[in-house]
Amino acid sequence: MGNLTFAIIKPDAVKNNYTGLIYDRILKAGFNILSAKLTRMSLAQAEGFYSVHKGKPFYNELTEFMSSGQAMVLALRKENAVAEWRKTIGATNPADADSGTIRKDFATSLGENAVHGSDSDDNAIKEIAFFFSDCELISNN
Ligand code: UDP
Ligand code: MG
């Protein structure tokens, strides 16, 4: 069980001005932010990041959406971070997300669902490395 995960505040949530409210959820849930930056992915970057979904029916829509505007990418630390963050964000489809989760409260739709979370420790490491260099990951203690 690792202590790192990777999060994205997706373009729908940034456009809807939910960045601050989602930051508040991150901090209240006890995550330590090791790094964060506002970026705008190119289509090629979004395709690379989501290459595991290549060939799925939602892939083109997903990569176009993820490159459609600003997104906030974050490296988060907490004990059991992957599972803890997925619990905080809720189910992929906001219609199925538990009350009090980020997707329940801030998602627009199944595709535009406000936030990303890694699905395993290995992918968390890979996804953090996709956007951050080691020297950008800053410990607070
Ligand atoms: N997605 C979609 N339609 C689907 C499944 C997924 O548009 O039927 C999008 C949605 O934005 C989701 C992302 O593709 O967050 C990645 O899908 P995944 O199954 O990995 O869900 P997640 O890990 O984000 O909960
Ligand atoms: Mg996933």
Side-chain angles (χ1 to χ4, degrees):
M1 169 173 99
N3 63 356
L4 292 175
T5 195
F6 176 73
I8 306 177
I9 303 176
K10 293 185 179 184
D12 63 310
V14 174
K15 275 200 185 89
N16 289 329
N17 288 331
Y18 291 146
T19 302
L21 293 168
I22 293 172
Y23 254 71
D24 191 53
R25 301 287 181 99
I26 292 168
L27 297 172
K28 290 218 168 98
F31 290 92
N32 193 328
I33 299 174
L34 298 188
S35 215
K37 63 186 164 194
L38 190 62
T39 186
R40 180 168 180 170
M41 284 181 225
S42 65
L43 181 60
Q45 251 183 325
E47 287 172 347
F49 182 76
Y50 281 112
S51 61
V52 60
H53 293 304
K54 198 174 162 83
K56 293 188 185 164
F58 58 85
Y59 179 73
N60 285 348
E61 196 184 330
L62 174 63
T63 54
E64 275 164 29
F65 162 59
M66 290 303 291
S67 58
S68 68
Q70 293 173 326
M72 181 72 73
V73 294
L74 306 102
L76 303 179
R77 189 174 67 195
K78 187 185 181 182
E79 199 176 315
N80 200 15
V82 166
E84 287 290 306
W85 177 237
R86 292 203 70 101
K87 195 174 80 188
T88 305
I89 69 179
T92 306
N93 188 341
D96 301 329
D98 289 339
S99 64
T101 62
I102 291 173
R103 281 169 166 167
K104 183 69 170 186
D105 293 342
F106 303 119
T108 310
S109 63
L110 168 60
E112 304 195 5
N113 58 359
V115 281
H116 167 83
S118 306
D119 62 6
S120 68
D121 291 341
D122 280 355
N123 283 336
I125 302 292
K126 284 183 198 151
E127 291 174 0
I128 288 171
F130 192 93
F131 286 101
F132 298 106
S133 59
D134 282 351
C135 66
E136 288 178 293
L137 303 173
I138 304 152
S139 176
N140 203 20
N141 44 43

